[in-house]
Amino acid sequence: MILTVTANPALDVSYRVDRLRPGHTHRIGAVFERAGGKGFNVSRVLHDQGVPTLALGPVGGILGDSLRADLIDSGLPHELLPVAAATRMTIAVVADEATMFNEPGGPLADADWARLRDLVRSHLPNTDVLVCSGSLPLDAPVDTYAGFVRLAHGVPTVVDAGGPVLLAAAEAGVSVVKPNAEELAAAVGHDDPLKGARELRALGAETVVVSLGAEGTIAATPDGEWRAALPKPVAGNPTGAGDAAVAALAFGIRTGLTWPERLRLAVAWSGAAVAAPLAGSVDWDVLAELENEVTVSPI
């Protein structure tokens, strides 16, 4: 089973408009709502592929009730921790590209963090890969995900985060970190992704996979360094592309694929997620077209 932890869940709302015009009233063409947060998106992609997964996260307030109801309706295996802090909302306005508005998420009490750690610990005996993904709520310790990495005790771990949270996970000996270029730059203080990946490995991360958007992905691993990319960008909503990549990496770890094979899957799943209307979804018809188009080459 792949266990995902979303420390800062959200009710994701997507608006589709013909074009975005600041200072003007917009008529919304379509509205989509679903339980969000990066870990939930990872679990959705895995569940749709028939991969055993369980999604964990703290929820509270009216939006927390909506998030819980959506997970039940979707059939996604989950266990939610009731907390006093209200669940946040994120809004994506999608025209030619997505414009995001992300609320911060209310702070969790120390007792709630302890309860979340206990919940994660209770599922580790049946876990093949632990994924900790997304932002942290206000006032959360920067070593929150690092603590889950240490808690895992040899269970492979994947962390998708940025800045100090990313550095702490690397120092804790995480199996894989998967920042995008901006998150990596915020952590290492410069915008050279390969150099930054090597620096995170020097800190203690076993493998560093960096998403570069339309330019593909680079990875620094114990087995070598690679670049993986599609021949051309996929049009659509990139909001959940990184989550699909994380799902593919976790799946590759669970099934024992080589690193080039994992990167090929990650780029293909990511591209197919861009073609899907909502984060946490993959256009499987597009995926069938992309799987043989990914190039993986040594750096």
Side-chain angles (χ1 to χ4, degrees), residues 59-186:
V59 298
I62 295 174
L63 295 183
D65 292 339
S66 297
L67 189 149
R68 180 182 290 106
D70 179 73
L71 290 178
I72 293 172
D73 288 344
S74 70
L76 180 68
H78 63 277
E79 188 168 345
L80 301 180
L81 185 73
V83 296
T87 295
R88 65 192 178 116
M89 178 185 291
T90 68
I91 297 175
V93 181
V94 183
D96 293 332
E97 57 186 10
T99 301
M100 300 295 299
F101 300 87
N102 294 342
E103 296 179 357
L108 296 187
D110 290 345
D112 288 334
W113 282 119
R115 291 167 59 223
L116 183 59
R117 286 192 294 271
D118 288 343
L119 182 59
V120 172
R121 184 185 292 111
S122 71
H123 289 288
L124 285 174
N126 299 315
T127 297
D128 300 309
V129 183
L130 171 65
V131 175
C132 301
S133 198
S135 65
L136 297 178
L138 288 170
D139 300 329
V142 296
D143 66 346
T144 295
Y145 286 156
F148 290 136
V149 170
R150 291 189 289 266
L151 186 67
H153 291 308
V155 173
T157 50
V158 182
V159 170
D160 182 5
V165 178
L166 177 63
L167 293 175
E171 292 171 348
V174 65
S175 304
V176 181
V177 285
K178 204 280 319 153
N180 59 34
E182 182 179 350
E183 291 167 337
L184 178 61

